[in-house]
Amino acid sequence: MMISSDREQADTDTDTNGMGVTGNYERLTSIAMFYKIFILLFAASFSFSAYGHDKAAFVLYDKAGKPVSYHRLLNKAKKSDVVLFGELHDNPVAHWLQLELSKDLHKTKKLIMGAEMFDADTRKVLDEYLAGTIDAARLDSLIRLWPNHKTDYAPLVDFARDRRIRFIGTNIPKRFARLVHKSGGFAALDSLGSEEKGWIVPLPFHFDPELPQYRKILTMEDGHGTPEVVKAQAIKDATMAHFILLNHKPGHTFLHFNGAYHSDFHEGIVFYLQRENGSLRYMTITTVEQDDVRHLEEKHRDRADFIICVDSDMTKTY
């Protein structure tokens, strides 16, 4: 039989699937092309990822300095009763992640939100805004909003308002913190009325000036770190912890936003939370800036459970 006849016969043969040899060839060709395209796309994506890592805006680390995923942070937050999100007030990456974490937690958890940026004496007005009885302009005229409220905190408050999430102002009124600072002691608060005392941690409260972060304040340059500043810092921390615990509910996650110094190294707010209720599960996040984000500097390790390391050149919000 001629070879050409064999080829012609082969063209009419079928495999067990009823596909001709020509069909097999075409199928194998298609599979080969698929894998070729897959390999090219994988190589391209790897190159893009490598380039992106070189120019990363931020890297998320665990407390030991190991890079971790946002998914891991989210999973731990879901298992926590209180999450303290420490920010650098002018850092846009921290503010973006605060909103993203709020959204993601709300999908599966009962959520309560709160912030240092709202003093306890503003709660009634803030509640009116959350209920929709006053608008943003009225809110701005009635309480002391931070200069970066519109860009950084309004999205968080509006998220809570739109989803009927409680949002708590936890901080001591600024005039009372100044009173402690100027008078040099907590005794100056004894003369407050009963309503005013309802806006601060119950007195007397435990004060430990030997906490490392408080002692660090005393090393501030230009003489700005004084024992009076430490006391003002402590009553802020104690008051925020008090209102977090007062407003926390079983089965909920309380997501609190504060300056990083208030919760770094599990001191500040965390110290008072654990002292008053050591049975709750606490998680901390902090924000740091480095010229090179690819490796976490030693001084930032153990600063929090999760550390957002942002490129120092990142644009500021104000």
Side-chain angles (χ1 to χ4, degrees):
M1 182 178 293
M2 296 178 59
I3 295 177
S4 59
S5 298
D6 286 341
R7 181 173 296 168
E8 289 172 0
Q9 181 64 34
D11 287 344
T12 64
D13 288 342
T14 60
D15 59 13
T16 56
N17 292 319
M19 179 178 287
V21 173
T22 301
N24 275 330
Y25 176 79
E26 291 174 351
R27 184 179 65 174
L28 291 172
T29 302
S30 297
I31 293 173
M33 182 61 70
F34 169 81
Y35 279 111
K36 183 177 181 180
I37 292 172
F38 175 82
I39 291 170
L40 289 172
L41 288 174
F42 178 82
S45 65
F46 180 82
S47 298
F48 178 79
S49 297
Y51 176 77
H53 179 73
D54 288 342
K55 298 296 291 182
F58 75 96
V59 176
L60 185 63
Y61 292 95
D62 66 12
K63 61 184 180 182
K66 178 183 177 181
V68 293
S69 67
Y70 169 77
H71 183 69
R72 182 173 169 185
L73 180 152
L74 176 61
N75 281 342
K76 186 172 178 63
K78 289 178 180 178
K79 299 173 184 177
S80 301
D81 298 303
V82 177
V83 177
L84 298 169
F85 198 128
E87 65 173 46
L88 299 179
H89 297 315
D90 59 0
N91 189 285
V93 173
H95 293 303
W96 169 67
L97 281 171
Q98 286 173 341
L99 183 59
E100 292 302 303
L101 183 58
S102 301
K103 293 177 180 177
D104 291 335
L105 279 175
H106 180 60
K107 291 175 183 177
T108 58
K109 291 286 295 184
K110 294 179 180 179
L111 191 62
I112 302 170
M113 301 168 69
E116 169 196 1
M117 298 79 199
F118 296 89
D119 297 346
D121 62 341
T122 67
R123 193 169 302 142
K124 181 178 179 181
V125 176
L126 184 58
D127 284 346
E128 290 176 350
Y129 178 75
L130 294 169
T133 57
I134 62 173
D135 61 14
R138 183 64 173 161
L139 178 71
D140 188 26
S141 68
L142 291 175
I143 66 175
R144 303 169 297 278
L145 297 176
W146 283 32
N148 54 328
H149 173 80
K150 186 175 181 180
T151 56
D152 301 336
Y153 307 116
L156 297 171
V157 177
D158 291 348
F159 172 80
R161 178 199 60 193
D162 295 343
R163 288 155 183 82
R164 299 182 181 277
I165 299 171
R166 295 177 65 215
F167 196 109
I168 311 298
T170 61
N171 208 354
I172 185 174
K174 293 178 180 60
R175 62 187 182 279
F176 298 161
R178 284 195 295 268
L179 188 60
V180 170
H181 180 204
K182 297 297 183 182
S183 69
F186 306 118
L189 301 176
D190 291 338
S191 60
L192 297 179
S194 58
E195 182 182 14
E196 293 173 317
K197 286 183 177 178
W199 300 330
I200 64 176
V201 62
L203 300 173
F205 75 101
H206 179 78
F207 170 56
D208 184 356
E210 297 303 314
L211 290 176
Q213 287 295 90
Y214 288 164
R215 291 185 60 82
K216 187 176 178 181
I217 292 175
L218 299 176
T219 66
M220 292 172 59
E221 297 179 357
D222 302 324
H224 293 302
T226 64
E228 291 74 26
V229 171
V230 172
K231 290 179 180 179
Q233 181 84 357
I235 199 164
K236 290 179 182 179
D237 293 336
T239 296
M240 286 188 273
H242 170 69
F243 285 119
I244 289 171
L245 293 176
L246 187 65
N247 289 279
H248 178 264
K249 291 184 177 181
H252 290 64
T253 294
F254 195 121
L255 178 57
H256 189 264
F257 310 109
N258 51 264
Y261 203 87
H262 286 290
S263 53
D264 275 356
F265 297 103
H266 292 84
E267 294 185 23
I269 300 172
V270 187
F271 170 80
Y272 288 103
L273 288 172
Q274 292 177 330
R275 180 178 174 83
E276 295 301 317
N277 190 336
S279 65
L280 294 181
R281 296 164 296 181
Y282 301 110
M283 170 183 149
T284 59
I285 304 169
T286 195
T287 311
V288 301
E289 294 179 345
Q290 293 182 181
D291 293 337
D292 184 352
V293 301
R294 291 175 295 179
H295 303 283
L296 188 68
E297 295 176 8
E298 186 68 30
K299 65 182 179 180
H300 296 315
R301 295 184 182 182
D302 293 317
R303 190 174 287 269
D305 295 314
F306 294 93
I307 301 151
I308 307 164
C309 185
V310 184
D311 191 288
S312 300
D313 289 335
M314 177 60 61
T315 303
K316 309 303 182 186
T317 59
Y318 68 97

